[in-house]
């Protein structure tokens, strides 16, 4: 999050799908809704265009673990009124993500208990809800939504936004170096974007109605997305987001810095805003950034060290302090913001220009030569 994170234009299709999901799920909660009334004719009336209706009907008739999503929706539509009331309240509270990131703290919290937690058969209802809503991402986005990237209803599958189109457009939007040979950069750690996957900032396993929410999706590198880094960790504290950054709704906006820490010959993450201290701490813990960046810092240090040794062994020239400074300057001046780990390498350059560190480094190199 050292650099701005922006939504792509195709986020409009995700917003339209989110509206579909929320509208459909709230219809399931209506007292008069039932499994018997959930049919193609009802879907036609709920949707605005023929393609939306056809898409949703086909989606509902797809299967997972030998059960159609239509059966899952019918199960929810047949819930008794008291359970529907709890579900409706939970849906509204868990999908209104923007409300939890007001500039002025309001004390609002996202629900941290499941909507059917108080019922003995709650696990059955939750599984039906979870499987149904997660399928909008697992099947819906992967195969193509009902909407074109600009948010208007598609007329065929070729027009529809899918997982790969969303991921690729996001990556392209955030690349400083647009050349085809350039390495892609992760928007979280600023390292190389290897094995990219779309992260659900707020875990879809706990909040499945956010499975295709534009504010909840961010393509990041596999190292950031997997344990022991983010994985399925929470990005709130008992439902409160006050002490947490968010890639879209509470971005640091250029206030974060990677700073050289001489006592451990590594780097630390800092902010120019003292009020963000806890948020910086949580971000670092979430992704283990300082640990990973320090590893990169030391690795690049060793790479440069060996490069200088190799060069002078080949030439046989004396390595003077002036020559060492020139080589460090030459390397540092070649750093570009479009390359992975630019900020970490810049912190390394600053550390090597420190007079004490430079003298120690020069002495070590002379010993090996």
């Amino acid at each position: 999050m050292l650099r701005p994170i922006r939504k792509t234009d195709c986020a409009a299709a995700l917003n339209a799908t989110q509206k579909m999901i929320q509208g459909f799920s709230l219809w399931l909660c209506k007292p008069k809704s039932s499994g018997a009334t959930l049919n193609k004719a009802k879907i036609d009336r709920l949707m605005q265009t023929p393609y939306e209706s056809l898409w949703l009907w086909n989606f509902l008739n797809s299967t997972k673990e030998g059960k159609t999503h239509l059966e899952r929706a019918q199960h929810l539509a047949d819930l008794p009124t008291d359970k529907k009331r709890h579900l409706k309240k939970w849906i509204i509270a868990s999908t209104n993500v923007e409300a939890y990131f007001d500039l002025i703290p309001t004390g609002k919290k996202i629900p941290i208990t499941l909507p059917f937690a108080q019922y003995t058969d709650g696990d059955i209802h939750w599984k039906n809800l979870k499987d149904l809503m997660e399928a909008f991402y697992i099947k819906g986005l992967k195969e193509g939504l009902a909407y074109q990237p600009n948010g208007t209803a598609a007329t065929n599958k070729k027009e529809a936004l899918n997982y790969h189109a969303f991921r690729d457009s996001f990556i392209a939007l955030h690349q400083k170096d647009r050349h085809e040979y350039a390495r892609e950069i992760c928007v979280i750690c600023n390292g190389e974007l290897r094995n990219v996957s779309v992260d659900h900032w707020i875990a879809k396993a706990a909040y499945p109605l956010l499975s295709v929410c534009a504010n909840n999706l961010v393509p990041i590198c596999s190292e950031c997305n997997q344990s022991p880094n983010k994985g399925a960790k929470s990005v709130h504290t008992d439902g409160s987001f006050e002490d947490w950054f968010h890639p879209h709704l509470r971005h640091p906006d250029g206030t974060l810095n990677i700073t050289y820490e001489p006592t451990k010959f590594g780097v630390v993450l800092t902010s120019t805003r003292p009020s963000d201290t806890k948020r910086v701490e949580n971000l670092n813990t979430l992704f283990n950034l300082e640990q990973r960046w320090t590893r990169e810092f030391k690795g690049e240090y060793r790479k440069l060290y060996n490069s200088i040794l190799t060069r002078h062994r080949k030439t046989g020239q004396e390595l003077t302090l002036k020559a060492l400074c020139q080589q460090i300057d030459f390397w540092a001046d070649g750093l570009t913001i479009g390359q992975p780990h630019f900020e970490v390498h810049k912190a390394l350059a600053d550390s090597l220009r420190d007079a004490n560190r430079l003298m120690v480094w020069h002495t070590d190199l002379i010993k090996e030569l």
Side-chain angles (χ1 to χ4, degrees), residues 24-95:
F24 180 61
S25 61
L26 290 176
W27 178 85
L28 295 174
C29 296
K30 289 185 175 182
K32 293 184 179 180
S33 297
S34 68
T37 60
L38 181 52
N39 50 39
K40 181 62 166 63
K42 173 55 70 174
I43 296 298
D44 288 341
R45 290 194 292 272
L46 289 174
M47 297 295 104
Q48 294 183 347
T49 68
Y51 190 78
E52 288 173 280
S53 176
L54 177 63
W55 185 92
L56 183 56
W57 184 247
N58 288 339
F59 167 82
L60 289 172
N61 281 280
S62 62
T63 61
K64 177 188 176 183
E65 298 173 353
K67 186 176 182 179
T68 67
H69 297 306
L70 179 61
E71 291 174 289
R72 295 183 171 93
Q74 289 171 332
H75 174 95
L76 297 170
D78 283 334
L79 290 174
T81 303
D82 62 322
K83 293 180 180 178
K84 286 187 175 184
R85 186 169 60 250
H86 279 106
L87 178 57
K88 179 181 178 180
K89 183 178 179 180
W90 187 88
I91 289 171
I92 294 172
S94 66
T95 55

Side-chain angles (χ1 to χ4, degrees), residues 97 110 200-204 207 210 216 230 235-236 241 246:
V97 179
I110 197 168
H200 290 79
W201 189 257
I202 304 171
K204 72 178 186 300
Y207 300 93
L210 299 178
N216 200 42
K230 185 172 184 291
V235 291
H236 56 80
F241 292 93
H246 187 285

Side-chain angles (χ1 to χ4, degrees), residues 304-321:
L304 181 59
Y305 186 95
N306 286 332
S307 175
I308 292 172
L309 273 180
T310 301
R311 186 177 302 114
H312 279 271
R313 283 169 176 165
K314 286 181 176 180
T315 62
Q317 294 178 347
E318 179 186 2
L319 179 60
T320 64
L321 190 60

